[in-house]
Amino acid sequence: MSEGQPDGEEPRKLVLPPKAGRKLALFGAPLLLVAGLAAGYGHYTDPGPLQDEKTFVIPHGNNARVTKALQDDGILSPTWASGTFFRIAAFLTHRDGQIHAAELQFPARVSVAHTLEILRHGKPVSHQLTVPEGLTALRITAILNKAPALSGELPTLAEGSVFPQTISYVWGTSRQTLAEKLQKMMAAKLAAAWDGRNVEALDGLIQSPQELLVLASLIERETAVPSERPMVARVFLNRLKLGMRLQTDPSVIYGLSNGAGTLDAPLTHEDLQTPGPYNTYLQAGLPPGPICSPGSTSLDAAAHPADGKMLYFVATGTGGHNFAETLADQDKNIRAYRAHLSATPQNQN
């Protein structure tokens, strides 16, 4: 019998709280009681000071640095006693798991117990980055450099090496790592398109995966209508077979813009006469490299072109293109396109 225990009474038993607080009751209850009361916490699971649900970045470092970050972010009270209470709680429950540096979501009024649970087992906040089809390496670089929560420098991207995709990542992911994932996707997609290509339809005109990538990039920039892409591929292949110049405006624009892929004004006749390796009005064959990152449908179209003898196409003015086998039919389609433009009211500034 303990000294001071009344006769006939059973000693009072210590009731253990759930898992996260069991060590606190066994070994740290006196310390936590003093620190908790001083900090304004009655219990390990009492609501904390955070007013609204928020996302915070938990830094790398020891418990002292993590504690300060939590106090600075308003998850813990800024008092010394509150910080001490949290560090003791983290120490006494360290077997429950390691505290991770990550971007995490915390609910309003999150308790110390819940805070530690989130720090140890919470799922990091997921960010998404989209690389649209048809962008040049310069524009993709700008997207990656502006993306929030990424870290580090981005190496120079080879044109056409990045697959257009929406990709998820977490805070602290390096730009290089994300770019390499997209590059691996492109390599896999290109290899699959090359391995599954219609050899007969390509007629020996496309000799390597790289040439297939170049052709796909031209197709990507010529039409946004997926169903037209195999037909555009056929036009280019028919022209290559006959030794005709491809005369594709997007390639000229790519060269004139130094890889940006856009110009501030429409192409002029003088532009088309400007020498350069990407001027397909002056240079025969494919341009020396891709002019953008093509998507899956353009890669598939390059590998599986449509049948036909089409040599020309021109915009309809309504989002698609008219295709023609003869120059006479092409001239007719051009006249129809111009008539459509003349009949369409222009926006007034």
Side-chain angles (χ1 to χ4, degrees), residues 48-95:
L50 186 64
Q51 295 299 308
D52 300 297
E53 180 182 68
K54 288 185 179 179
T55 298
F56 296 108
V57 174
I58 306 303
H60 293 276
N62 57 26
N63 279 359
R65 186 178 182 193
V66 171
T67 300
K68 185 178 186 307
L70 293 172
Q71 290 181 310
D72 290 344
D73 290 335
I75 297 170
L76 300 178
S77 169
T79 65
W80 173 88
S82 174
T84 301
F85 178 78
F86 178 81
R87 287 194 296 274
I88 293 172
F91 172 74
L92 293 174
T93 61
H94 71 276
R95 290 186 183 275

Side-chain angles (χ1 to χ4, degrees), residues 149-268:
L150 289 178
S151 64
E153 297 293 326
L154 180 67
T156 300
L157 301 176
E159 192 65 75
S161 67
V162 171
F163 186 69
Q165 183 68 273
T166 295
I167 189 169
S168 298
Y169 65 95
V170 297
W171 168 83
T173 299
S174 75
R175 291 180 172 84
Q176 180 174 348
T177 296
L178 201 64
E180 287 174 351
K181 287 183 179 179
L182 294 171
Q183 288 173 325
K184 288 179 180 177
M185 289 183 192
M186 177 60 86
K189 294 284 187 180
L190 180 58
W194 178 253
D195 291 343
R197 70 192 183 282
N198 186 333
V199 177
E200 183 178 352
L202 293 179
D203 199 21
L205 297 167
I206 303 298
Q207 297 290 326
S208 68
Q210 179 67 11
E211 289 187 352
L212 191 74
L213 179 62
V214 174
L215 177 60
S217 74
L218 299 178
I219 296 166
E220 183 71 54
R221 293 293 291 159
E222 279 287 7
T223 180
V225 182
S227 62
E228 290 186 347
R229 287 170 180 164
M231 299 169 68
V232 173
R234 175 48 58 195
V235 169
F236 288 146
L237 290 169
N238 287 343
R239 282 178 162 261
L240 288 173
K241 187 172 183 178
L242 294 174
M244 297 175 65
R245 291 169 185 169
L246 296 184
Q247 296 184 328
T248 170
D249 290 355
S251 182
V252 178
I253 292 170
Y254 181 85
L256 291 173
S257 66
N258 295 316
T262 59
L263 295 174
D264 294 333
L267 278 175
T268 65

